[in-house]
Amino acid sequence: MEKQQDMPTSTPAKRRVLGPCSHILVAAHTGSWRMERPQVEEEACIRCGICSKYCPTACITVNKEGCPLEFDWHYCKGCGICANECPRQALSMIPEGSGE
């Protein structure tokens, strides 16, 4: 069996390749064009990691303690896939630049 080569992801030093999208997409900096961004409701989040598995740019880190999710805003595109896949609806999309 051949050894699989490491595929680049948004930040290779911190990220693990979790799904098929992460193997295909090499993320680029978002810049200022993102219209919405995810916001986590900490009490509702069960830290299951489904959001990070479905994120096409692998920019979500699930933390065991403290704030449950950490986003790499340089790579988040605001696509909303994480919010759509969350089984507890702990993520919502809010307008970029809002004070929330």
Side-chain angles (χ1 to χ4, degrees):
M1 191 170 193
E2 289 183 36
K3 182 179 176 185
Q4 184 179 7
Q5 291 182 348
D6 291 334
M7 300 299 288
T9 58
S10 58
T11 51
K14 290 178 60 179
R15 306 285 184 236
R16 293 180 299 152
V17 177
L18 298 173
C21 291
S22 296
H23 285 287
I24 297 166
L25 181 64
V26 176
H29 281 271
T30 301
S32 61
W33 61 263
R34 181 176 53 230
M35 300 300 290
E36 292 183 314
R37 62 183 169 89
Q39 181 180 36
V40 62
E41 184 181 330
E42 294 182 20
E43 297 79 29
C45 180
I46 58 173
R47 305 170 197 256
C48 63
I50 290 176
C51 56
S52 67
K53 290 178 184 176
Y54 281 95
C55 179
T57 59
C59 69
I60 303 172
T61 302
V62 180
N63 298 315
K64 300 263 185 219
E65 296 178 4
C67 184
L69 301 178
E70 183 180 323
F71 298 91
D72 187 343
W73 298 119
H74 293 292
Y75 294 98
C76 175
K77 307 299 184 221
C79 65
I81 292 173
C82 56
N84 288 336
E85 295 299 328
C86 180
R88 298 287 302 268
Q89 287 76 45
L91 288 168
S92 58
M93 299 303 289
I94 62 171
E96 183 65 42
S98 68
E100 297 182 35

